[in-house]
Amino acid sequence: MAAAPKTNKLGLMVKDYRGGDSTLCKGCGHDVITNTIISAFYEMGVEPHMVAKLSGIGCSSKTPAYFLNGAWGFNSVHGRMPAIATGAALANRDLKNIGVSGDGDTASIGMGQFVHMLRRNTPVVYLVENNGVYGLTKGQFSATADEGSVAKGGATCDLPPIDLCTMAIELGCGFVARSFSGDRKQLLQILKAAIAYEGTAMIDILSPCVTFNNHKGSTKSYDWGKGHEGPVHELGFVPHWEEPAVEFEGGKSVEVPLPDGGVVWIKPIDEHDHDPRDRVAALNLLREDYENEAVFNTGIMYLDPSRETLQDDMDLSAEPLWNMPLEKLRPSRESLDQIVDSLR
Amino acid sequence: MAAAPKTNKLGLMVKDYRGGDSTLCKGCGHDVITNTIISAFYEMGVEPHMVAKLSGIGCSSKTPAYFLNGAWGFNSVHGRMPAIATGAALANRDLKNIGVSGDGDTASIGMGQFVHMLRRNTPVVYLVENNGVYGLTKGQFSATADEGSVAKGGATCDLPPIDLCTMAIELGCGFVARSFSGDRKQLLQILKAAIAYEGTAMIDILSPCVTFNNHKGSTKSYDWGKGHEGPVHELGFVPHWEEPAVEFEGGKSVEVPLPDGGVVWIKPIDEHDHDPRDRVAALNLLREDYENEAVFNTGIMYLDPSRETLQDDMDLSAEPLWNMPLEKLRPSRESLDQIVDSLR
Amino acid sequence: MSEPSTAPDSAATAHPEPIVNRLSIQIATVNGSGSQTANNTLLRAIFQMGIPVSGKNLFPSNIAGLPTWFTIRANADGYTARRSEVDVLVCMNAQTSREDVAGVPPGATVVYEESLKLDTLRDDLDFYPVPFAKLVREVCPVVSLRRLVVNMLYVGVVAHLLDIELAEIEKALQKAFATKPKALDLNIDAVKAGLAWAEENITTQSRFRVQRMDKTAGKVLVDGNYATALGALFAGVTVAAWYPITPSSSVTESLIELADRYRVDPETGKRNIAIIQAEDELAAIGNVIGAAWAGARAMTSTSGPGISLMSEFIGLGYYAEIPAVIVNVQRTGPSTGLPTRTMQGDVMFCAYNSHGDTRHPCIYPANIEEAYEFGRKAFDIAERYQTPVFVLTDLDLGMNLWMADPFEYPEGGIDRGKVLDQAGLAAMEDWGRYKDVDGDGIPYRSIPGTPGGKGAYFTRGSGHDEYAVYSEDGDVYAGNVDRLKRKIQGSADYLPQPIADDRGSKVGIIAYGTSEAAVAEARDQLRGEHGLETDYLRLRAFPFPASVQQWIEAHDRVYVVEQNRDGQMRNLMRIELPEISVKLDSIRHYTGMPLDARTVTDAVVAAEANAEGAN
Amino acid sequence: MSEPSTAPDSAATAHPEPIVNRLSIQIATVNGSGSQTANNTLLRAIFQMGIPVSGKNLFPSNIAGLPTWFTIRANADGYTARRSEVDVLVCMNAQTSREDVAGVPPGATVVYEESLKLDTLRDDLDFYPVPFAKLVREVCPVVSLRRLVVNMLYVGVVAHLLDIELAEIEKALQKAFATKPKALDLNIDAVKAGLAWAEENITTQSRFRVQRMDKTAGKVLVDGNYATALGALFAGVTVAAWYPITPSSSVTESLIELADRYRVDPETGKRNIAIIQAEDELAAIGNVIGAAWAGARAMTSTSGPGISLMSEFIGLGYYAEIPAVIVNVQRTGPSTGLPTRTMQGDVMFCAYNSHGDTRHPCIYPANIEEAYEFGRKAFDIAERYQTPVFVLTDLDLGMNLWMADPFEYPEGGIDRGKVLDQAGLAAMEDWGRYKDVDGDGIPYRSIPGTPGGKGAYFTRGSGHDEYAVYSEDGDVYAGNVDRLKRKIQGSADYLPQPIADDRGSKVGIIAYGTSEAAVAEARDQLRGEHGLETDYLRLRAFPFPASVQQWIEAHDRVYVVEQNRDGQMRNLMRIELPEISVKLDSIRHYTGMPLDARTVTDAVVAAEANAEGAN
Ligand SMILES: Cc1ncc(C[n+]2csc(CCOP(=O)(O)OP(=O)(O)O)c2C)c(N)n1
Ligand SMILES: Cc1ncc(C[n+]2csc(CCOP(=O)(O)OP(=O)(O)O)c2C)c(N)n1
Ligand code: SF4
Ligand code: SF4
Ligand SMILES: [Mg+2]
Ligand SMILES: [Mg+2]
């Protein structure tokens, strides 16, 4: 892929996609993801003012303040960002929603809303910055902590982890990926594809908490991630206005076009032969992770560009609802007469 | 299996397991399940006063009032019965919990608690009386309504259903069954096994709402169930004090012993060859349902008698906590002195 | 003129002069038996005869098989409150019939299924046994339909006894079965069969009668939830999120019905409204807050348990200043309480909902006209003050049928408050999302997606300064919440103002919401029966404007009438108007039944006697 | 005696007579830098010298890298409230140092990293530049540890300036590093290095000094959350369910720590307590209600947002009569607000929490002794009245270190209320779960699992009669909620009673919770500086006993001091004590900082001046 130009297709520079200064701990995985989000939106040439940055509560949920200053941000309440995203998507279908959540925010308090967001296919790039702990409340285990993982204070996690990718696929999500803040290159491509995707694009990202969960014995540490990550493919995204810069070698390469004209491409790595359009294969791949704790597969696990989004399901006007003129919304005098008559 | 005796091993009669009069609609699937619960507790010889009957809110959630008058009942708030069950289980591990929920109560408002109950393996026989609608609020679709299913008023369900069995298996539940209120014989055996099981036993039961979702076009009607049910095996439960009354033919038959000494036995039907100890096979079986809407597999989908329950995970005393003498709970004078010293 | 054979020969049956257009009919059935259509037919027919009516449905919290009662009050003076005395009882439910009969006053008319043999229970009533079971077999050959059809038989019998005009019954049925001609015929035939049987077998008419008059011309008959939905429709609501709960479900269900007709673009077939059934109330209010933040006019409808679940988001809406319309159709709490009974039980919980220092505008519609008007205005209030607003109605208003003047077409546009578009942003120097530019505490907001490179800001429930920048500074915090307090207090003059009906009395009554009907009647009773003239102030909103205190000051004693145990509105007034709070006496009704005039009258009379004694 | 070379030659540096044992030290650092241990060491060392102290940690709502301030107040008279003036400032945070310096009063002592060059900012302060960066390189060869070790350097420097005894510092460090001897040595060495450098390079001492006295003998130094957890432990809590939230997390985290030591059966190694981290607050309170229903003594700890989420279950607990202990460590709301700042902001929301008519006993600990005592008693109250009980503490009490008398061993048993076991059930004729046998509104309950064939009942949040049977009857409903009201009102005399400190004044002050320390000091200021003697009533519980009204009646003017915007306790009093509510004036502090005496004093003086004027 060619080196990123100094300006994107809108003529904007990377700095136009930056946010405020981070107040997270130095080295926190979340900051890496923030920077990758900046790159992705820049490279995708999204107009910042058309972006809604949404989150719940947590260190991860603070991050929307650290990218895209020109976008509208909403740091809401703990675990309930999906409801906000859904409401915003209904009000203005032209907005690009990016939601940043944490494993506590999503898998603990937010589980109900997460499930129903997936079921509805709410249009949002939904990131879980997964560190296995509640960072902001100082390191308690979250529901994605692995059984047997050891806390900083020495306690061992007794419960099995919730696998958000499996859950997302089972619930019909059409864009399910797993990545690692230590693999910016992969994450960037996934993010770009997710931005081009129309429904819920769920990305579960191992994002180590350097302060509370980065020690030996933790299965969410940076070293653990580095030591175990196995990308299941090389992948990239080519937006509709760009020429593919890679040579597809045919054979095992796969190209998946998205409705907007962009293309996700995938090249197998090693023994893996994963076609992300294969739902069952995706679940099996994830099961490997589940059954063999030494494995940490990353990549786009499942991709189904065809699923209808919430707004189409609901048959909404193409024109955003929020700003429709009153004439379109308020029935006529005659209609009211009709209604009144029917009640006489 | 021999005809049930007039009294059970405790010398109690069926009437000792009855409850108040039902106030549900005549013909409601839930009433059939209620009666089957009565039979199951009777046949299992459980002491009624050691049973906690728990529920949320809904027609289904009313049913604990209609069985086991001698048990303690708790009709709590909508969707939050799992939390009640968890609390009760921690307070008194000797109680047998049976929770009755609906598809609205579990899959809509209760999704978060449902997931976390499964993750914790809270000891409870957890029934979902699944009719695809909110009965008590007059027939709106719930989150288990099938895509394409038609409401009484004519609306079509646009969203994919949530499959509670798949979810339960993915979340590590060790007893996952699906049944049908129109198949009392099967349900009775499943219930008995579930009562003998120690962790969460999740039973998703198609239980038609005769008032709001029993018409043509509904995929949760009685006729639909009758027309589509395919038990994947014949099954039964032999409690530890009984002699098996069936001859196991060897070959395809499977016996799964539970920790309490009871045995679940399974005989394949037709082409099915499902061993409920096989997690992957169980998920595949459920996927058939998902992918082929004409299929409605019932039986014990997954059974893993070995998983630790919540109380063991938490290393709780064998003696129930609720009634421990104060001497065991209040540290000594010396301990307080020690504590005070450490704060000086 | 021969008595029906089983009627005892008592004083009550001496049929003193008929009582015309002043009666209550109560029909006791089991729910799920389809009696609702029959009852509405009776109600509507009387209404069409020009006689003021109201209908109250007393139903259990289950779907079928339990006792249910429907009461029709016809009153020439236009009183529409519940009246606890029943004049005409129709006993169709064996289970409750003995109690039902025991509960009516002497002289009442009782229609009942013959085989119940109720006539032996009392000798001071007019009994009319009817062989319904036998008759229905004759009228309706299809066994499965008999359960429904039998109801039309009593319509016929009652019509005969009370002089309800058949033509009006037919008209009412035509309305009910407009799209089902077959059912229509079957039902009309059944009514006629009941009527014919009665004409043949009942020779004495009931002492209670109706007679055509002209007091309902032009009026509509409708429930409050429909009116509220209609108000929202005309307000231009674009996003509605809900989770079903009695007694609020029909707010959004009515909106769905209306939207199906009036919000589908005729050209594209696409919808100009999003109505989303959320997975629970936390999600529903989250949808509303998300949608309103993104610029939609957004609402939810719920009842008590839903409000409890929404509390966290409501606090966010208050502090981050996001409009939201929350229709709370109150039912009897606490907890699940009596879900199919009415109450004004969430007055306090809504006014100061959520943790921390909060305060929310609340409006209290009292009748159909206001259910419609406030359903519309709530959006203006929410957007103008950028804050969650509660429309506090209740089961009695929301789910019962009330007579009303026809809905008026709203003149003028809508008030979207201080929203800056691209030009507005460009024109404003140094815009800050939470800056108090005009001194009224209300800042200017921008909507996500506004182009031009200005106006983007970060919304949060945590501390923030005037520019919406994160801040933990104590003075910034205090300044911000002081502004919020000012802002909400400022709404008092914009909200629906209290309505006074003063007649120069020193005794005042304050009420709100559905207590209105009973209080209006009670004041007439007080005047007529006790010579006690009263002044009356009907509150329509919280926070209170200054006029409330002034009004109270002008009176010696003030009775606050309300439908809850704790005197919640009285308590709000104690907090907000401490100087005059000692003047407030409290009349509370909290059985879950709609308030009746007699309860108010008796309480005022007793309290006044005390007050006199003390003088 | 030569000045440090950079000190300007100003009046302030003329070192007038030393100020001993009356000083506030503020240390400005960034959080996550490990300064907490150093600050606690200073605090503890002064405490061990017999000087009354209090420590307040002002930290941001993030984990590392943002400004944080720790204030130590040492006061010979035992005042422990926040004092807003800083006497000794230690500037370790470049980011805030200029503002920090600007904020101190003339004459203050400022210790700072030399390279910050702060001494040019003002000429009325005593500046002590220290080359911390250079020193730490010398003391600590391990680069990664320097960030931590540098903190011990300032401990040494401050010890020198203020005369803090090295032996006490060593003792404090031994406590902190009891299990880490290597760290201990490193830290002691660092302190000594700081001290040595100071001895060598600083020749003038600070004007502010400490000097051994004997006012802390036997006392402990502890935070309120630990004390509350300890109370619960001694109450025999068996189930604790929680969801982490600042500032309440350390309640349950302390309980976990204590349980690890005192609730593991020495024989079996099994636990006699279940502490469960729930998936959210709805689940946590559900666990508590389920556990308490099944007989456990159950509790949760949370803060404002958690209370909002618990509202639905709290209403269930009230109406179905299930004990629950809810510790609410209040923080600054509404919404997420300022999560690391203190406030008494949920007083109203807790008292009437949930939809419908409700009322909940609330207790308000003011100090460590009460945090412990109320943490214990809350269970007795909850079980005796079979209802949710709020322990309303706050961040200031919960997370800051306070001096206190040693915890007393609880004498006697616990009050489990009216629980019937098998024998009790057998003895009671016609038992009904909700029957008011004793006339106090408190029914008898049975616990699931009780054998004998009696006592099983059905718990529900919907309408029920005395036998716990489902009921929609209006009179049954009203009778039941009337009893509930009586029951809760009856608790007023069982709850911790208000404490009056009367000195014959006509001017009264009412306060509660952590306003205690500031009010005590303010009263001395009022007396000493303004000759105004005040009476004082400290509320400790809601609902109020009759004595509160009597006390207010006995005074001409009463100031209710509290830490929220709306005067929430004042509002509760307006509702509950309307006759005297006009007497209540309100003093409110709501910046999120702990209340200080001066704020109270100034407000009382101003109001009294007005009152005088008006007289
Ligand atoms: C209702 C509510 N409960 C609890 C909290 C306290 N809280 C803040 S962040 C957080 C957990 C965050 O964990 P996660 O989502 O994993 O984010 P991380 O900090 O690890 O990035 C909690 C429990 C809260 N803010 N609101
Ligand atoms: C918090 C809350 N929201 C809404 C309701 C209203 N409500 C009662 S039952 C019910 C749905 C029940 O559906 P389901 O669990 O499927 O039970 P069913 O009646 O179908 O057996 C709802 C929404 C409620 N009681 N509480
Ligand atoms: S505490 Fe953990 S998650 Fe939070 S900012 Fe620090 S490293 Fe990141
Ligand atoms: S409404 Fe449906 S679910 Fe409820 S009782 Fe009737 S048939 Fe059963
Ligand atoms: Mg996390
Ligand atoms: Mg259902």
Side-chain angles (χ1 to χ4, degrees), chain A residues 24 28 30 56-62 77-80 101-109 128-138 140 142 144 207 209, chain C residues 312, chain D residues 63 243-246 249 280-281 302-307 309 331 336 339:
Chain A
L24 303 187
C28 177
H30 303 350
I57 302 282
C59 294
S60 32
S61 292
K62 283 174 183 276
V77 292
H78 195 27
R80 319 291 176 196
S101 182
D103 44 317
D105 197 62
T106 288
S108 298
I109 193 171
V128 182
E129 300 186 344
N130 193 340
N131 53 21
V133 291
Y134 300 167
L136 192 54
T137 55
K138 307 208 157 190
Q140 303 86 358
S142 79
T144 65
S207 175
C209 171
Chain C
E312 191 191 16
Chain D
I63 299 302
Y243 188 71
I245 185 167
T246 308
S249 299
D280 62 15
E281 289 87 348
T302 188
S303 191
I307 301 292
L309 290 172
R331 66 188 210 184
T336 303

Side-chain angles (χ1 to χ4, degrees), chain C residues 314-494:
Chain C
I314 289 168
L316 174 73
Y318 172 78
Y319 192 54
E321 302 184 57
I322 299 167
V325 171
I326 302 163
V327 178
N328 177 3
V329 187
Q330 295 166 98
R331 65 189 210 185
T332 306
S335 195
T336 302
L338 308 180
T340 59
R341 296 289 185 273
T342 196
M343 193 154 286
Q344 299 178 315
D346 305 337
V347 170
M348 174 75 95
F349 193 55
C350 290
Y352 305 121
N353 192 270
S354 204
H355 59 280
D357 288 304
T358 64
R359 222 148 171 254
H360 313 289
C362 299
I363 51 181
Y364 314 98
N367 50 43
I368 295 297
E369 291 83 349
E370 288 182 352
Y372 168 68
E373 185 192 332
F374 291 11
R376 193 155 43 75
K377 279 215 177 135
F379 292 87
D380 290 353
I381 301 165
E383 290 209 303
R384 187 180 189 98
Y385 293 95
Q386 302 174 26
T387 202
V389 168
F390 291 96
V391 183
L392 279 155
T393 146
D394 61 23
L395 183 141
D396 185 22
L397 176 58
M399 289 187 73
N400 283 325
L401 285 172
W402 299 78
M403 237 171 41
D405 287 328
F407 300 113
E408 279 177 31
Y409 196 80
E411 302 303 332
I414 54 180
D415 182 354
R416 301 216 58 179
K418 301 185 189 174
V419 174
L420 294 176
D421 58 10
Q422 181 172 4
L425 283 161
M428 187 166 283
E429 237 180 279
D430 193 32
W431 173 76
R433 170 66 183 96
Y434 297 114
K435 253 185 159 172
D436 185 5
V437 178
D438 305 324
D440 55 5
I442 311 173
Y444 285 80
R445 69 180 178 130
S446 65
I447 307 290
T450 305
K454 278 185 84 174
Y457 71 99
F458 202 87
T459 306
R460 40 168 67 88
S462 46
H464 44 264
D465 67 12
E466 295 183 324
Y467 297 93
V469 173
Y470 186 81
S471 168
E472 295 180 354
D473 184 286
D475 294 328
V476 167
Y477 167 83
N480 192 33
V481 296
D482 283 344
R483 177 181 58 76
L484 285 175
K485 189 168 190 169
R486 244 184 310 125
K487 179 181 88 164
I488 302 297
Q489 188 55 46
S491 73
D493 295 326
Y494 182 82

Side-chain angles (χ1 to χ4, degrees), chain D residues 197-215:
Chain D
W197 180 90
E199 276 166 359
E200 199 158 313
N201 295 278
I202 303 183
T203 43
T204 60
Q205 243 192 309
S206 167
R207 174 185 172 200
F208 301 95
R209 314 268 170 85
V210 295
Q211 201 168 48
R212 186 169 279 280
M213 58 194 301
D214 62 354
K215 291 215 172 167

Side-chain angles (χ1 to χ4, degrees), chain B residues 49 70 72-75 83 87 91 113 120 314-317 322 324 329-331 333 335 338-339 342-344, chain D residues 44 175 218 221 234 262-263 270-272 275 277 279 283 287 291 409 411-412 416 448-450 455 457 459:
Chain B
H49 76 268
W72 268 259
F74 196 161
N75 183 201
Q113 298 213 335
R120 290 196 186 94
M314 293 179 75
D315 243 353
L316 297 193
S317 296
W322 81 270
M324 280 203 172
L329 300 175
R330 180 177 281 174
R333 233 169 252 277
S335 302
Q338 217 177 60
I339 290 168
S342 76
L343 301 169
R344 275 191 173 126
Chain D
R44 208 163 252 297
K175 203 164 190 115
L221 202 55
F234 278 84
Y262 299 108
R263 283 293 183 82
K270 297 288 179 187
R271 294 178 166 265
N272 291 342
I275 305 180
Q277 186 184 312
E279 61 271 27
N287 294 162
Y409 197 79
E411 302 303 332
R416 299 217 59 180
T450 305
Y457 71 99
T459 305

Side-chain angles (χ1 to χ4, degrees), chain B residues 1-21:
Chain B
M1 192 163 275
K6 292 269 154 61
T7 60
N8 64 10
K9 69 171 167 126
L10 298 176
L12 295 175
M13 289 183 296
V14 172
K15 76 169 175 50
D16 298 317
Y17 291 85
R18 296 232 167 89
D21 290 339

Side-chain angles (χ1 to χ4, degrees), chain A residues 214-285:
Chain A
N214 204 29
H215 46 274
K216 242 182 109 163
S218 158
T219 58
K220 294 274 191 285
S221 69
Y222 187 79
D223 285 349
W224 190 94
K226 271 289 168 206
H228 294 77
E229 192 202 358
V232 297
H233 38 226
E234 202 190 324
L235 63 85
F237 178 72
V238 187
H240 63 85
W241 65 88
E242 268 183 20
E243 281 302 303
V246 277
E247 294 294 313
F248 295 117
E249 293 148 48
K252 297 253 164 160
S253 273
V254 174
E255 290 172 63
V256 187
L258 298 186
D260 83 331
V263 173
V264 177
W265 61 260
I266 265 145
K267 254 192 324 198
I269 293 182
D270 304 335
E271 83 286 15
H272 282 295
D273 182 15
H274 179 54
D275 184 337
R277 290 168 305 188
D278 184 340
R279 199 164 163 274
V280 175
L283 288 166
N284 286 337
L285 202 60

